[in-house]
Amino acid sequence: MFNKVLIAEDLDSISVAVIQALEMLSVVEIHHAKYCDDAYLKIKKALLDKVPYNLLISDLSFKTDHRENKLTSGEELIEAVKKVQPDIKTIVFSIEDKSFRIKSLFNTLGINAYVSKGRNSLPELQTAIQRVYENEDKIISNELSHTLRGKSIFEIEAYDISLLKLLSKGYILDEIAKELKEAGISPNGSSSIEKRINKLKVYFKASNNVHLIAITKDLGLV
Amino acid sequence: MFNKVLIAEDLDSISVAVIQALEMLSVVEIHHAKYCDDAYLKIKKALLDKVPYNLLISDLSFKTDHRENKLTSGEELIEAVKKVQPDIKTIVFSIEDKSFRIKSLFNTLGINAYVSKGRNSLPELQTAIQRVYENEDKIISNELSHTLRGKSIFEIEAYDISLLKLLSKGYILDEIAKELKEAGISPNGSSSIEKRINKLKVYFKASNNVHLIAITKDLGLV
DNA sequence: GATCACTTTACGGTTTCCCGTAAAAAACTT
DNA sequence: AAGTTTTTTACGGGAAACCGTAAAGTGATC
């Protein structure tokens, strides 16, 4: 089993449970950080001292408070950590359950497992740790695996997300067109953008732009 | 100390920690429900058996899954519980930190304490339980008390929330007017509604309706 | 009950959204 | 290379949002 594990989790109510779960797996060294910055520093320090961590278990969202932090999310933390220690194993333990976001965690960050906080997540987390230790990869906890399978024909792409983001910032069509042109993204004619937004409205069964943003906000796409 | 306490919390990672915290306060009977419906049934059953709960500690948001549930949120649960057992003490333990929503919990549901899940929430939860036991009321955990003080001049009322809710459902002005008339809420002239939405746009610095909904969604108002 | 302050509603003009159609451009086929 | 399909862009008309102003209603005060 892993002998040195770091947990990045802000909620104390969750971290105590995770620590307990790790103890049951007889991990000897279990460390915990409440802020991403702290977690990053611990990993760098351990690396310098030649006693690096084998595994990082991280949440995605961290509450903001009085403290100024460079790294504010699990994504940022993992990205930064992988730069200094590419061989570290990573498990994301988060409440997030939107397939779009989880997929991108595997693809862009190369995490080893994703466990969704839920009604039976502690055992799932334990088996995920076990399987990652045995060098398995791309592990998704039970509760989620079904939602990730049922994929829709119409795949939401990064382009659609940018449109939704710009819309949610209050931009009007012409402004979005201008923005995309400057960013070198195409299609960028206001008519095409209009059409694409229309597709999104059909797909999400939204009756207008306001409705569309409300729905996609709920889904965590923006 | 309370001798019979019910915890309504879906995440197992959190409930084990809360149970532990209660044990430290030497609560003898600690029960736990992962679904609002289960919690409600437990409370009703205990009441019938003449061994009622003294305290309910509830989360606000519960994940949805395959199971069909009547009660889907902590608010609904507390409202239902208070109808069958008005004297029960209630503490909300949630990640929510929007002053508007917390205020309404005290005012409309009459909860006894609110503890925000955070970096030091377990001790805060313990003292809250202690103080509720000593018949103190309207307790707000440390981390939040400051944010609730700094109040704005323009108070967002329930009326505004309904407008935003209807907007986010994709309703157009005339439809909103119609809806409000049927619900007996006034003002309900489309012009007044327009003006009110305009005030909200100024207040939230939104450039149009889409932007407004994006912002208020982020704030958790809708 | 007349005056004043404030709220609610009505109305009109401009802008943007919404939606269909069609032209232009690009990509693909043979 | 010519034809076909698909994607992108352009255009136009009607609906809704946007924004200012004016009228009608409401309530408090004296």
Side-chain angles (χ1 to χ4, degrees):
Chain A
M1 179 45 59
F2 294 113
N3 49 41
K4 192 165 178 183
V5 176
L6 179 63
I7 301 161
E9 167 69 61
D10 55 344
L11 303 188
D12 56 354
S13 37
I14 290 180
S15 60
V16 299
V18 174
I19 289 171
Q20 214 170 290
L22 283 169
E23 282 167 353
M24 285 166 65
L25 291 174
S26 53
V27 174
V28 278
E29 269 199 82
I30 304 165
H31 295 159
H32 166 219
K34 293 182 181 182
Y35 295 89
C36 292
D37 282 6
D38 294 352
Y40 180 67
L41 290 177
K42 272 179 198 261
I43 284 178
K44 257 175 79 172
K45 174 103 177 14
L47 207 59
L48 280 176
D49 295 348
K50 302 252 163 59
V51 281
Y53 288 96
N54 316 123
L55 172 66
L56 166 66
I57 299 175
S58 178
D59 190 8
L60 286 183
S61 73
F62 289 76
K63 282 197 159 189
T64 53
D65 59 11
H66 48 90
R67 244 185 73 165
E68 280 280 329
N69 284 289
K70 277 190 194 164
L71 305 169
T72 58
S73 72
E75 283 100 327
E76 288 176 27
L77 170 63
I78 293 171
E79 196 183 345
V81 165
K82 289 247 170 177
K83 274 187 191 153
V84 297
Q85 187 183 344
D87 66 321
I88 195 170
K89 300 279 184 180
T90 49
I91 296 179
V92 172
F93 186 51
S94 162
I95 191 119
E96 182 70 52
D97 57 2
K98 297 300 167 314
S99 58
F100 173 84
R101 291 202 62 197
I102 297 171
K103 267 189 171 176
S104 85
L105 291 173
F106 283 101
N107 298 335
T108 67
L109 291 180
I111 66 171
N112 303 100
Y114 186 90
V115 180
S116 165
K117 288 172 184 167
R119 294 189 170 79
N120 192 39
S121 51
L122 289 179
E124 288 177 0
L125 179 61
Q126 289 180 322
T127 60
I129 293 168
Q130 187 66 46
R131 289 169 63 188
V132 168
Y133 181 66
E134 287 156 5
N135 274 315
E136 262 191 82
D137 218 356
K138 303 216 173 184
I139 301 161
I140 296 175
S141 62
N142 301 332
E143 290 193 27
L144 274 174
S145 42
H146 64 281
T147 64
L148 287 190
R149 272 189 247 295
K151 282 308 326 116
S152 45
I153 322 101
F154 180 68
E155 280 284 332
I156 310 291
E157 310 167 19
Y159 178 77
D160 299 290
I161 306 292
S162 359
L163 286 190
L164 292 170
K165 284 233 169 80
L166 291 168
L167 264 182
S168 74
K169 278 166 100 182
Y171 286 35
I172 64 175
L173 288 180
D174 287 342
E175 289 172 341
I176 295 177
K178 202 180 145 206
E179 197 78 12
L180 293 184
K181 278 193 191 89
E182 283 170 7
I185 302 172
S186 100
N188 53 40
S190 51
S191 180
S192 306
I193 294 167
E194 202 178 319
K195 289 250 177 307
R196 188 67 165 247
I197 292 173
N198 207 43
K199 273 189 188 169
L200 289 168
K201 276 188 286 207
V202 170
Y203 178 70
F204 287 113
K205 298 182 182 56
S207 51
N208 55 36
N209 282 358
V210 175
H211 197 192
L212 177 66
I213 290 301
I215 292 169
T216 51
K217 274 271 175 198
D218 280 339
L219 292 175
L221 289 177
V222 278
Chain B
M1 178 46 58
F2 294 112
N3 49 44
K4 192 165 179 182
V5 176
L6 180 63
I7 300 161
E9 166 70 58
D10 55 346
L11 303 188
D12 57 354
S13 37
I14 290 181
S15 59
V16 300
V18 174
I19 289 171
Q20 213 170 291
L22 283 168
E23 282 167 352
M24 283 168 66
L25 290 175
S26 52
V27 175
V28 278
E29 270 199 82
I30 303 165
H31 296 159
H32 167 219
K34 291 182 181 183
Y35 294 89
C36 292
D37 282 6
D38 294 352
Y40 180 67
L41 290 177
K42 273 181 198 259
I43 284 178
K44 258 176 81 171
K45 173 101 176 19
L47 207 58
L48 282 175
D49 295 346
K50 302 253 162 62
V51 281
Y53 287 96
N54 316 124
L55 172 68
L56 166 66
I57 299 175
S58 177
D59 190 7
L60 286 183
S61 73
F62 289 75
K63 282 196 159 191
T64 53
D65 58 13
H66 49 90
R67 242 184 76 162
E68 278 280 328
N69 284 288
K70 278 190 194 163
L71 304 171
T72 58
S73 71
E75 283 101 327
E76 289 175 29
L77 170 63
I78 293 172
E79 196 182 344
V81 165
K82 289 247 170 177
K83 273 186 190 152
V84 297
Q85 186 183 346
D87 67 321
I88 195 171
K89 300 279 184 180
T90 50
I91 296 178
V92 172
F93 186 50
S94 162
I95 191 119
E96 181 70 53
D97 57 2
K98 297 299 170 310
S99 58
F100 171 84
R101 290 202 62 198
I102 298 172
K103 265 191 169 175
S104 85
L105 291 173
F106 283 102
N107 297 335
T108 68
L109 293 180
I111 66 169
N112 302 100
Y114 186 91
V115 180
S116 165
K117 288 172 184 167
R119 295 189 169 79
N120 192 39
S121 50
L122 289 178
E124 287 178 0
L125 180 61
Q126 290 181 320
T127 60
I129 294 168
Q130 186 66 45
R131 287 169 65 186
V132 169
Y133 181 67
E134 287 157 4
N135 274 313
E136 261 190 83
D137 219 356
K138 304 216 171 181
I139 300 160
I140 297 174
S141 62
N142 301 333
E143 290 193 29
L144 275 173
S145 43
H146 64 282
T147 64
L148 288 189
R149 275 190 242 297
K151 283 306 328 118
S152 46
I153 322 100
F154 180 68
E155 280 284 330
I156 310 291
E157 311 167 20
Y159 177 76
D160 298 292
I161 306 293
S162 348
L163 287 190
L164 292 170
K165 282 230 169 83
L166 291 169
L167 264 182
S168 74
K169 280 174 134 180
Y171 286 35
I172 64 175
L173 287 180
D174 287 343
E175 290 173 338
I176 295 178
K178 203 179 146 207
E179 196 80 10
L180 293 184
K181 278 193 190 86
E182 283 169 7
I185 301 171
S186 98
N188 51 39
S190 52
S191 180
S192 306
I193 293 167
E194 202 179 318
K195 289 251 178 306
R196 188 67 164 245
I197 291 174
N198 209 44
K199 271 189 189 171
L200 288 169
K201 276 189 286 209
V202 171
Y203 178 69
F204 287 112
K205 299 183 183 55
S207 51
N208 56 36
N209 282 357
V210 175
H211 197 191
L212 177 65
I213 291 302
I215 292 170
T216 52
K217 273 270 177 199
D218 280 338
L219 292 175
L221 289 176
V222 276

